[in-house]
Amino acid sequence: MPQMSVHPYRDITFDKDGDVDSAQRDRLAEMDVTDLVMFAHGWNNSPSIANRLYSAFFAPFPELLAATPEVRLGYAGVVWPSMKFTDEPAPDFQPSAVGPLPGSGLDTATRVALVELFPGHDRTVARLAQLLDEQPESEDAFAEFGALARQLAEAPPGGLEASFSEDLPYDEQGPPAVLYEDALTLCRRFALALEETGEVTEKEPALSSFSFGGGLKKAWKGAKELLRQTTYYAMKRRAGTVGELGLGPLLGQLARSAPDVRVHLVGHSQGARLVSFALRGLPDGARNVKSLTLLQGAFSHYVFAQSLPHASHSGGALRAMEHRVDGPVVACYSRHDSALGVIYPLASSLAGDDASAVGLDKRWWAMGHNGIQAVRPLARLTLEEALGQGIPGSGCVSVDTASVVRRGGPPSGAHSDICHEELARVVLAAGRIGR
């Protein structure tokens, strides 16, 4: 395991069902600290990579708190089973494997990660890789590819007629396109979206010219993205489970065993969903969570809404849950995040929606794209304002961090560009750590 930049530090490991490593849980409660920052990673492939992320993100904290010796800050990294495709660059990190160029087949590291994350699906992953390599010009091949990808997400068969409501992952209002839309249609839409993010190079022919009646070979350029988004959909559900059934109860236990420790939750991407859904599992009366900071959150920007703008009879999955935080809920967002600004709306929209309107339809935007929405009161700040004038002591706050979260190549853009001193300062300001 790489050396950690800060101490005291603890790992907290959960399995896919939210069960925690009990020895790690006990060591966490024994930390002699006044404040504890707990960070949950998002797309990730191994505990080692998560450890590197945490070390890089936490590195500025000791110097930022050097003038406040009365603060004894502890650090914890939440480790949970998720994955990242190896063709997605992360600023400040070297690629974990050298594989095919983006848009081509599955490299060995990605295949291994898929098999480890979805045990028992070795043959499914092998066939998906074969189809991506061969790219047959057959509508049946796309149908097979979509069915196999959805096996990994454990999507119920039967298309739109299948029973969906019982399997709804909290913040959705109907069958998501990534699970129920015709696979060939989705592959074409993703191919066009990848062209928008810049993944298709100038040496490749333009994709926007193909009609929905042909261009099967070109549509394979979007097939890998369909697999990626279907896999991430499974991780989305898992993040909610680990947060509500795992982290939430653990925080309740910590409130009883170490009642004076002030906890500050931080999450990136789907890890932001994890720490947010921990509020659902936080026992009544537990008031040890003093701040919640969400970095490029890969879930609905309406999740805290009392009433949805497009469905006033419904609210967000975490409506009023911000009141379980004894401090602010801060969502950092950036327009340079193409994973959330371009790809996420396509995957999250309802099956059957007009594809031409998806990118402009605010219903499907992610929190990391434009911050928390439809909540009152809501403070909206630039990063400079948040660091200069401070962050409100309670309620929901959206902070535009595009001035620093801006690096990264296709298809994700700046989605993983989060290791900045300015974002560390946001966490400290949100939690009033050292003030």
Side-chain angles (χ1 to χ4, degrees):
M1 204 56 91
Q3 185 175 359
M4 181 56 59
S5 62
V6 293
H7 65 85
Y9 171 85
R10 301 288 187 271
D11 279 324
I12 302 296
T13 303
F14 295 92
D15 67 14
K16 65 181 180 66
D17 298 315
D19 292 328
V20 67
D21 183 305
S22 58
Q24 292 179 344
R25 178 195 59 206
D26 294 342
R27 287 195 294 271
L28 183 71
E30 296 169 357
M31 296 176 74
D32 181 21
V33 298
T34 58
D35 294 80
L36 176 64
V37 178
M38 301 185 72
F39 194 153
H41 64 74
W43 303 344
N44 177 54
N45 277 336
S46 71
S48 177
I49 293 175
N51 187 274
R52 290 172 58 201
L53 168 65
Y54 296 147
S55 185
F57 186 83
F58 288 145
F61 281 73
E63 184 174 349
L64 292 172
L65 291 173
T68 54
E70 68 276 11
V71 175
R72 302 189 310 279
L73 186 59
Y75 308 84
V78 175
V79 180
W80 61 286
S82 66
M83 77 162 287
K84 169 183 175 293
F85 279 54
T86 56
D87 64 352
E88 296 178 33
D92 305 318
F93 288 84
Q94 293 297 320
S96 58
V98 177
L101 293 173
S104 58
L106 292 181
D107 59 87
T108 300
T110 298
R111 290 180 61 172
V112 169
L114 284 169
V115 169
E116 289 180 348
L117 203 61
F118 303 102
H121 285 285
D122 306 53
R123 293 184 179 180
T124 301
V125 173
R127 179 57 177 161
L128 286 165
Q130 181 182 12
L131 288 169
L132 282 173
D133 286 338
E134 296 176 356
Q135 300 185 5
E137 295 191 61
S138 159
E139 293 187 10
D140 289 342
F142 282 95
E144 180 187 5
F145 187 88
L148 291 172
R150 287 155 185 172
Q151 284 182 15
L152 300 183
E154 299 178 345
L160 293 177
E161 291 73 31
S163 174
F164 179 77
S165 59
E166 295 180 357
D167 198 40
L168 215 61
Y170 305 120
D171 50 348
E172 296 172 7
Q173 300 136 47
V178 73
L179 293 190
Y180 291 95
E181 187 66 85
D182 171 72
L184 177 55
T185 299
L186 266 183
C187 287
R188 285 169 164 155
R189 292 177 184 172
F190 280 130
L192 293 174
L194 291 173
E195 183 180 59
E196 184 175 341
T197 69
E199 179 164 314
V200 178
T201 68
E202 293 181 358
K203 295 181 181 179
E204 296 176 297
L207 297 172
S208 54
S209 61
F210 69 64
S211 69
F212 271 37
L216 294 184
K217 199 71 172 179
K218 295 178 182 177
W220 281 106
K221 296 182 183 299
K224 185 176 181 180
E225 194 59 41
L226 172 59
L227 174 59
R228 189 196 318 270
Q229 294 304 317
T230 305
T231 301
Y232 291 166
Y233 183 89
M235 296 305 98
K236 174 181 179 178
R237 292 189 297 178
R238 184 173 295 181
T241 297
V242 173
E244 182 172 359
L245 302 183
L247 182 57
L250 181 146
L251 293 171
Q253 293 172 0
L254 191 62
R256 294 189 297 272
S257 61
D260 295 329
V261 175
R262 305 171 72 249
V263 178
H264 311 278
L265 299 178
V266 183
H268 169 238
S269 185
Q270 290 168 340
R273 190 174 195 269
L274 189 157
V275 295
S276 296
F277 276 80
L279 301 178
R280 288 175 62 118
L282 192 66
D284 291 339
R287 300 296 291 171
N288 55 337
V289 178
K290 302 302 180 180
S291 66
L292 178 66
T293 304
L294 310 173
L295 308 174
Q296 302 309 117
F299 62 126
S300 173
H301 58 182
Y302 293 135
V303 72
F304 293 106
Q306 286 285 353
S307 177
L308 302 180
H310 53 281
S312 58
H313 60 283
S314 299
L318 298 180
R319 54 188 175 276
M321 286 292 166
E322 69 272 20
H323 300 303
R324 293 195 171 191
V325 180
D326 189 20
V329 174
V330 180
C332 298
Y333 66 95
S334 170
R335 65 181 179 276
H336 303 298
D337 185 336
S338 52
L340 300 184
V342 179
I343 304 297
Y344 180 93
L346 281 175
S348 301
S349 61
L350 298 188
D353 267 11
D354 182 1
S356 65
V358 166
L360 301 176
D361 193 333
K362 294 182 179 180
R363 288 180 297 169
W364 316 124
W365 288 3
M367 185 181 295
H369 176 60
N370 68 332
I372 297 170
Q373 300 292 318
V375 174
R376 297 292 181 271
L378 172 66
R380 300 191 67 86
L381 305 172
T382 65
L383 179 59
E384 293 71 21
E385 290 170 340
L387 298 180
Q389 67 190 40
I391 291 173
S394 63
C396 291
V397 183
S398 293
V399 179
D400 184 350
T401 59
S403 59
V404 296
V405 181
R406 56 184 304 112
R407 298 176 300 155
S412 299
H415 185 68
S416 296
D417 185 20
I418 60 168
C419 293
H420 296 281
E421 178 183 314
E422 292 88 345
L423 298 186
R425 291 170 59 195
V426 169
V427 174
L428 294 175
R432 281 161 170 68
I433 305 174
R435 293 189 180 183

